[in-house]
mmCIF file of all heavy atoms in Angstrom:
data_model
loop_
_atom_site.group_PDB
_atom_site.id
_atom_site.type_symbol
_atom_site.label_atom_id
_atom_site.label_comp_id
_atom_site.label_asym_id
_atom_site.label_seq_id
_atom_site.Cartn_x
_atom_site.Cartn_y
_atom_site.Cartn_z
ATOM 1 N N PHE H 461 7.175 17.363 32.372
ATOM 2 C CA PHE H 461 5.737 17.625 32.347
ATOM 3 C C PHE H 461 5.203 17.783 33.773
ATOM 4 O O PHE H 461 4.403 18.684 34.058
ATOM 5 C CB PHE H 461 5.010 16.485 31.620
ATOM 6 C CG PHE H 461 3.535 16.702 31.453
ATOM 7 C CD1 PHE H 461 3.056 17.629 30.545
ATOM 8 C CD2 PHE H 461 2.629 15.964 32.193
ATOM 9 C CE1 PHE H 461 1.694 17.828 30.378
ATOM 10 C CE2 PHE H 461 1.262 16.153 32.038
ATOM 11 C CZ PHE H 461 0.798 17.083 31.127
ATOM 12 N N SER H 462 5.673 16.927 34.682
ATOM 13 C CA SER H 462 5.248 17.011 36.086
ATOM 14 C C SER H 462 5.682 18.333 36.711
ATOM 15 O O SER H 462 4.901 18.965 37.437
ATOM 16 C CB SER H 462 5.831 15.838 36.887
ATOM 17 O OG SER H 462 5.367 14.620 36.360
ATOM 18 N N ILE H 463 6.902 18.753 36.430
ATOM 19 C CA ILE H 463 7.378 20.041 36.937
ATOM 20 C C ILE H 463 6.526 21.175 36.362
ATOM 21 O O ILE H 463 6.161 22.118 37.069
ATOM 22 C CB ILE H 463 8.876 20.242 36.631
ATOM 23 C CG1 ILE H 463 9.719 19.246 37.433
ATOM 24 C CG2 ILE H 463 9.308 21.684 36.921
ATOM 25 C CD1 ILE H 463 11.175 19.183 37.014
ATOM 26 N N GLY H 464 6.202 21.065 35.079
ATOM 27 C CA GLY H 464 5.341 22.070 34.447
ATOM 28 C C GLY H 464 3.975 22.161 35.115
ATOM 29 O O GLY H 464 3.456 23.259 35.339
ATOM 30 N N ILE H 465 3.406 21.023 35.454
ATOM 31 C CA ILE H 465 2.114 21.002 36.154
ATOM 32 C C ILE H 465 2.255 21.657 37.529
ATOM 33 O O ILE H 465 1.425 22.482 37.932
ATOM 34 C CB ILE H 465 1.590 19.547 36.308
ATOM 35 C CG1 ILE H 465 1.267 18.938 34.952
ATOM 36 C CG2 ILE H 465 0.387 19.482 37.246
ATOM 37 C CD1 ILE H 465 0.120 19.573 34.211
ATOM 38 N N MET H 466 3.334 21.309 38.260
ATOM 39 C CA MET H 466 3.545 21.903 39.592
ATOM 40 C C MET H 466 3.733 23.420 39.499
ATOM 41 O O MET H 466 3.204 24.164 40.333
ATOM 42 C CB MET H 466 4.752 21.260 40.271
ATOM 43 C CG MET H 466 4.493 19.845 40.727
ATOM 44 S SD MET H 466 5.823 19.141 41.725
ATOM 45 C CE MET H 466 7.134 19.011 40.547
ATOM 46 N N MET H 467 4.461 23.881 38.482
ATOM 47 C CA MET H 467 4.673 25.316 38.325
ATOM 48 C C MET H 467 3.369 26.022 37.941
ATOM 49 O O MET H 467 3.131 27.158 38.352
ATOM 50 C CB MET H 467 5.765 25.599 37.288
ATOM 51 C CG MET H 467 7.141 25.078 37.691
ATOM 52 S SD MET H 467 7.662 25.534 39.356
ATOM 53 C CE MET H 467 7.765 27.296 39.217
ATOM 54 N N THR H 468 2.537 25.348 37.183
ATOM 55 C CA THR H 468 1.231 25.915 36.834
ATOM 56 C C THR H 468 0.362 26.044 38.081
ATOM 57 O O THR H 468 -0.284 27.080 38.301
ATOM 58 C CB THR H 468 0.537 25.053 35.763
ATOM 59 O OG1 THR H 468 1.386 24.990 34.607
ATOM 60 C CG2 THR H 468 -0.816 25.613 35.379
ATOM 61 N N ILE H 469 0.363 25.012 38.901
ATOM 62 C CA ILE H 469 -0.379 25.074 40.169
ATOM 63 C C ILE H 469 0.171 26.207 41.038
ATOM 64 O O ILE H 469 -0.596 26.974 41.630
ATOM 65 C CB ILE H 469 -0.327 23.710 40.893
ATOM 66 C CG1 ILE H 469 -1.125 22.665 40.100
ATOM 67 C CG2 ILE H 469 -0.846 23.824 42.324
ATOM 68 C CD1 ILE H 469 -0.901 21.231 40.549
ATOM 69 N N ALA H 470 1.509 26.316 41.105
ATOM 70 C CA ALA H 470 2.131 27.393 41.894
ATOM 71 C C ALA H 470 1.708 28.759 41.362
ATOM 72 O O ALA H 470 1.449 29.686 42.141
ATOM 73 C CB ALA H 470 3.655 27.263 41.865
ATOM 74 N N GLY H 471 1.626 28.894 40.044
ATOM 75 C CA GLY H 471 1.202 30.158 39.445
ATOM 76 C C GLY H 471 -0.187 30.561 39.888
ATOM 77 O O GLY H 471 -0.441 31.726 40.209
ATOM 78 N N PHE H 472 -1.115 29.588 39.922
ATOM 79 C CA PHE H 472 -2.465 29.875 40.394
ATOM 80 C C PHE H 472 -2.470 30.170 41.892
ATOM 81 O O PHE H 472 -3.147 31.094 42.348
ATOM 82 C CB PHE H 472 -3.414 28.708 40.083
ATOM 83 C CG PHE H 472 -3.843 28.655 38.645
ATOM 84 C CD1 PHE H 472 -3.469 27.585 37.844
ATOM 85 C CD2 PHE H 472 -4.611 29.663 38.078
ATOM 86 C CE1 PHE H 472 -3.855 27.519 36.520
ATOM 87 C CE2 PHE H 472 -5.003 29.613 36.751
ATOM 88 C CZ PHE H 472 -4.626 28.531 35.967
ATOM 89 N N TYR H 473 -1.716 29.382 42.642
ATOM 90 C CA TYR H 473 -1.688 29.551 44.094
ATOM 91 C C TYR H 473 -1.169 30.933 44.487
ATOM 92 O O TYR H 473 -1.739 31.589 45.363
ATOM 93 C CB TYR H 473 -0.824 28.455 44.733
ATOM 94 C CG TYR H 473 -0.738 28.560 46.235
ATOM 95 C CD1 TYR H 473 -1.787 28.114 47.037
ATOM 96 C CD2 TYR H 473 0.380 29.123 46.843
ATOM 97 C CE1 TYR H 473 -1.716 28.215 48.415
ATOM 98 C CE2 TYR H 473 0.455 29.236 48.226
ATOM 99 C CZ TYR H 473 -0.587 28.777 49.006
ATOM 100 O OH TYR H 473 -0.520 28.884 50.368
ATOM 101 N N PHE H 474 -0.080 31.371 43.848
ATOM 102 C CA PHE H 474 0.524 32.651 44.201
ATOM 103 C C PHE H 474 -0.056 33.828 43.417
ATOM 104 O O PHE H 474 0.309 34.970 43.672
ATOM 105 C CB PHE H 474 2.046 32.602 44.004
ATOM 106 C CG PHE H 474 2.736 31.713 44.999
ATOM 107 C CD1 PHE H 474 3.327 30.535 44.592
ATOM 108 C CD2 PHE H 474 2.783 32.050 46.344
ATOM 109 C CE1 PHE H 474 3.972 29.709 45.504
ATOM 110 C CE2 PHE H 474 3.421 31.230 47.269
ATOM 111 C CZ PHE H 474 4.017 30.050 46.839
ATOM 112 N N GLY H 475 -0.948 33.569 42.490
ATOM 113 C CA GLY H 475 -1.596 34.648 41.742
ATOM 114 C C GLY H 475 -0.616 35.482 40.939
ATOM 115 O O GLY H 475 -0.652 36.714 41.017
ATOM 116 N N ILE H 476 0.232 34.813 40.159
ATOM 117 C CA ILE H 476 1.234 35.557 39.386
ATOM 118 C C ILE H 476 0.550 36.422 38.328
ATOM 119 O O ILE H 476 -0.583 36.160 37.923
ATOM 120 C CB ILE H 476 2.303 34.620 38.774
ATOM 121 C CG1 ILE H 476 1.696 33.629 37.782
ATOM 122 C CG2 ILE H 476 3.066 33.892 39.876
ATOM 123 C CD1 ILE H 476 2.719 32.731 37.083
ATOM 124 N N SER H 477 1.259 37.445 37.883
ATOM 125 C CA SER H 477 0.688 38.414 36.937
ATOM 126 C C SER H 477 0.591 37.811 35.531
ATOM 127 O O SER H 477 1.161 36.757 35.233
ATOM 128 C CB SER H 477 1.567 39.662 36.882
ATOM 129 O OG SER H 477 2.786 39.374 36.210
ATOM 130 N N LYS H 478 -0.108 38.529 34.677
ATOM 131 C CA LYS H 478 -0.267 38.101 33.287
ATOM 132 C C LYS H 478 1.094 37.968 32.599
ATOM 133 O O LYS H 478 1.351 36.989 31.893
ATOM 134 C CB LYS H 478 -1.147 39.111 32.540
ATOM 135 C CG LYS H 478 -1.507 38.716 31.137
ATOM 136 C CD LYS H 478 -2.459 39.748 30.543
ATOM 137 C CE LYS H 478 -2.946 39.339 29.188
ATOM 138 N NZ LYS H 478 -3.910 40.295 28.639
ATOM 139 N N THR H 479 1.972 38.926 32.820
ATOM 140 C CA THR H 479 3.312 38.889 32.224
ATOM 141 C C THR H 479 4.104 37.695 32.761
ATOM 142 O O THR H 479 4.781 37.001 32.002
ATOM 143 C CB THR H 479 4.071 40.202 32.509
ATOM 144 O OG1 THR H 479 3.302 41.293 32.008
ATOM 145 C CG2 THR H 479 5.444 40.190 31.871
ATOM 146 N N GLU H 480 3.990 37.445 34.055
ATOM 147 C CA GLU H 480 4.671 36.293 34.640
ATOM 148 C C GLU H 480 4.132 34.987 34.067
ATOM 149 O O GLU H 480 4.891 34.051 33.800
ATOM 150 C CB GLU H 480 4.537 36.322 36.162
ATOM 151 C CG GLU H 480 5.337 37.443 36.796
ATOM 152 C CD GLU H 480 4.996 37.695 38.250
ATOM 153 O OE1 GLU H 480 3.849 37.394 38.680
ATOM 154 O OE2 GLU H 480 5.881 38.202 38.966
ATOM 155 N N TRP H 481 2.812 34.934 33.847
ATOM 156 C CA TRP H 481 2.220 33.753 33.201
ATOM 157 C C TRP H 481 2.799 33.550 31.800
ATOM 158 O O TRP H 481 3.070 32.406 31.400
ATOM 159 C CB TRP H 481 0.702 33.882 33.103
ATOM 160 C CG TRP H 481 -0.031 33.359 34.291
ATOM 161 C CD1 TRP H 481 -0.788 34.080 35.166
ATOM 162 C CD2 TRP H 481 -0.079 32.010 34.759
ATOM 163 N NE1 TRP H 481 -1.293 33.263 36.139
ATOM 164 C CE2 TRP H 481 -0.876 31.972 35.918
ATOM 165 C CE3 TRP H 481 0.482 30.816 34.309
ATOM 166 C CZ2 TRP H 481 -1.134 30.810 36.628
ATOM 167 C CZ3 TRP H 481 0.239 29.650 35.020
ATOM 168 C CH2 TRP H 481 -0.562 29.660 36.159
ATOM 169 N N LEU H 482 2.959 34.645 31.072
ATOM 170 C CA LEU H 482 3.513 34.533 29.718
ATOM 171 C C LEU H 482 4.916 33.928 29.744
ATOM 172 O O LEU H 482 5.229 33.002 28.987
ATOM 173 C CB LEU H 482 3.529 35.898 29.027
ATOM 174 C CG LEU H 482 2.166 36.480 28.676
ATOM 175 C CD1 LEU H 482 2.312 37.928 28.203
ATOM 176 C CD2 LEU H 482 1.481 35.644 27.621
ATOM 177 N N PHE H 483 5.757 34.447 30.632
ATOM 178 C CA PHE H 483 7.124 33.935 30.731
ATOM 179 C C PHE H 483 7.150 32.494 31.240
ATOM 180 O O PHE H 483 7.910 31.664 30.746
ATOM 181 C CB PHE H 483 7.985 34.839 31.619
ATOM 182 C CG PHE H 483 8.467 36.060 30.908
ATOM 183 C CD1 PHE H 483 7.903 37.298 31.169
ATOM 184 C CD2 PHE H 483 9.483 35.986 29.965
ATOM 185 C CE1 PHE H 483 8.343 38.432 30.510
ATOM 186 C CE2 PHE H 483 9.929 37.114 29.306
ATOM 187 C CZ PHE H 483 9.360 38.347 29.570
ATOM 188 N N GLN H 484 6.331 32.196 32.229
ATOM 189 C CA GLN H 484 6.301 30.835 32.762
ATOM 190 C C GLN H 484 5.823 29.844 31.708
ATOM 191 O O GLN H 484 6.403 28.772 31.539
ATOM 192 C CB GLN H 484 5.407 30.770 34.001
ATOM 193 C CG GLN H 484 5.341 29.367 34.591
ATOM 194 C CD GLN H 484 4.692 29.340 35.948
ATOM 195 O OE1 GLN H 484 5.251 29.888 36.884
ATOM 196 N NE2 GLN H 484 3.537 28.696 36.057
ATOM 197 N N THR H 485 4.772 30.206 30.991
ATOM 198 C CA THR H 485 4.247 29.334 29.941
ATOM 199 C C THR H 485 5.285 29.128 28.841
ATOM 200 O O THR H 485 5.471 28.009 28.346
ATOM 201 C CB THR H 485 2.951 29.921 29.357
ATOM 202 O OG1 THR H 485 2.010 30.109 30.417
ATOM 203 C CG2 THR H 485 2.349 29.022 28.291
ATOM 204 N N LEU H 486 5.960 30.204 28.475
ATOM 205 C CA LEU H 486 7.017 30.101 27.467
ATOM 206 C C LEU H 486 8.137 29.179 27.946
ATOM 207 O O LEU H 486 8.633 28.340 27.179
ATOM 208 C CB LEU H 486 7.578 31.494 27.151
ATOM 209 C CG LEU H 486 8.681 31.547 26.100
ATOM 210 C CD1 LEU H 486 8.166 31.080 24.747
ATOM 211 C CD2 LEU H 486 9.232 32.946 26.002
ATOM 212 N N ALA H 487 8.529 29.288 29.207
ATOM 213 C CA ALA H 487 9.589 28.451 29.760
ATOM 214 C C ALA H 487 9.187 26.970 29.759
ATOM 215 O O ALA H 487 9.975 26.105 29.372
ATOM 216 C CB ALA H 487 9.940 28.904 31.177
ATOM 217 N N ILE H 488 7.961 26.691 30.158
ATOM 218 C CA ILE H 488 7.480 25.306 30.167
ATOM 219 C C ILE H 488 7.441 24.757 28.738
ATOM 220 O O ILE H 488 7.899 23.638 28.477
ATOM 221 C CB ILE H 488 6.093 25.204 30.845
ATOM 222 C CG1 ILE H 488 6.208 25.525 32.335
ATOM 223 C CG2 ILE H 488 5.471 23.818 30.638
ATOM 224 C CD1 ILE H 488 4.876 25.744 33.044
ATOM 225 N N GLY H 489 6.916 25.544 27.815
ATOM 226 C CA GLY H 489 6.870 25.116 26.419
ATOM 227 C C GLY H 489 8.259 24.919 25.826
ATOM 228 O O GLY H 489 8.494 23.966 25.077
ATOM 229 N N LEU H 490 9.186 25.795 26.186
ATOM 230 C CA LEU H 490 10.566 25.679 25.699
ATOM 231 C C LEU H 490 11.185 24.369 26.170
ATOM 232 O O LEU H 490 11.754 23.615 25.376
ATOM 233 C CB LEU H 490 11.397 26.872 26.198
ATOM 234 C CG LEU H 490 12.890 26.826 25.901
ATOM 235 C CD1 LEU H 490 13.146 27.026 24.412
ATOM 236 C CD2 LEU H 490 13.621 27.889 26.715
ATOM 237 N N ILE H 491 11.061 24.093 27.442
ATOM 238 C CA ILE H 491 11.625 22.866 28.003
ATOM 239 C C ILE H 491 11.013 21.632 27.341
ATOM 240 O O ILE H 491 11.721 20.707 26.930
ATOM 241 C CB ILE H 491 11.403 22.790 29.532
ATOM 242 C CG1 ILE H 491 12.302 23.783 30.239
ATOM 243 C CG2 ILE H 491 11.648 21.393 30.066
ATOM 244 C CD1 ILE H 491 13.750 23.418 30.231
#
Side-chain angles (χ1 to χ4, degrees):
F461 184 73
S462 299
I463 293 169
I465 294 294
M466 288 188 293
M467 296 310 296
T468 301
I469 292 167
F472 283 115
Y473 180 78
F474 291 112
I476 62 177
S477 72
K478 186 176 185 177
T479 303
E480 290 167 334
W481 271 115
L482 291 171
F483 280 105
Q484 180 169 294
T485 303
L486 181 63
I488 293 168
L490 174 70
I491 288 289

